[in-house]
Amino acid sequence: MGLTKDQILADLRALGVTEGMVLMAHSSLSALGRVDGGAEAVIEALAEAVGPTGTLCMPAMSGDQPFRVESSPSNVGKVTERFRSWPGVKRSIHPTHSVCCLGPK
């Protein structure tokens, strides 16, 4: 059995992540060990930690040229690549250092 979404959420709360805040998350799925639900569970825990009034952001840097905001993949990990296509996520237009965000800000 691996790390669960609820365990990740509890750890985020212990670190001081609260609803309504803006959170920039850098991630390494492999550093967490086995996660039940994989990248999706990590994203769900992060999004739940900031809640519907908070904003979750992640880097989504791409080496693709030409850069396409809708389809160029993130080259900084499985979590950021999955987050890039998450429902409601918006991506900035910077061609090499884009950021994806979910939330009102």
Side-chain angles (χ1 to χ4, degrees):
M1 182 170 186
L3 190 61
T4 67
K5 181 192 89 160
D6 289 340
Q7 290 170 315
I8 296 168
L9 179 59
D11 289 342
L12 290 166
R13 295 274 186 243
L15 289 170
V17 177
T18 59
E19 289 194 23
M21 73 185 314
V22 176
L23 179 66
M24 171 63 92
H26 292 255
S27 62
S28 172
L29 189 59
S30 63
L32 293 172
R34 181 169 174 221
V35 176
D36 293 343
E40 289 83 5
V42 174
I43 294 165
E44 289 169 358
L46 288 162
E48 191 172 324
V50 299
T53 61
T55 299
L56 173 60
C57 302
M58 293 186 195
M61 295 175 240
S62 176
D64 272 11
Q65 294 301 322
F67 173 73
R68 292 179 178 82
V69 72
E70 304 86 14
S71 62
S72 291
S74 169
N75 66 7
V76 287
K78 291 179 182 178
V79 176
T80 62
E81 173 55 17
R82 179 63 187 100
F83 186 63
R84 180 185 66 78
S85 61
W86 199 264
V89 167
K90 304 288 186 210
R91 187 181 199 176
S92 70
I93 61 171
H94 196 284
T96 60
H97 289 76
S98 65
V99 176
C100 288
C101 296
L102 176 66
K105 294 184 180 177

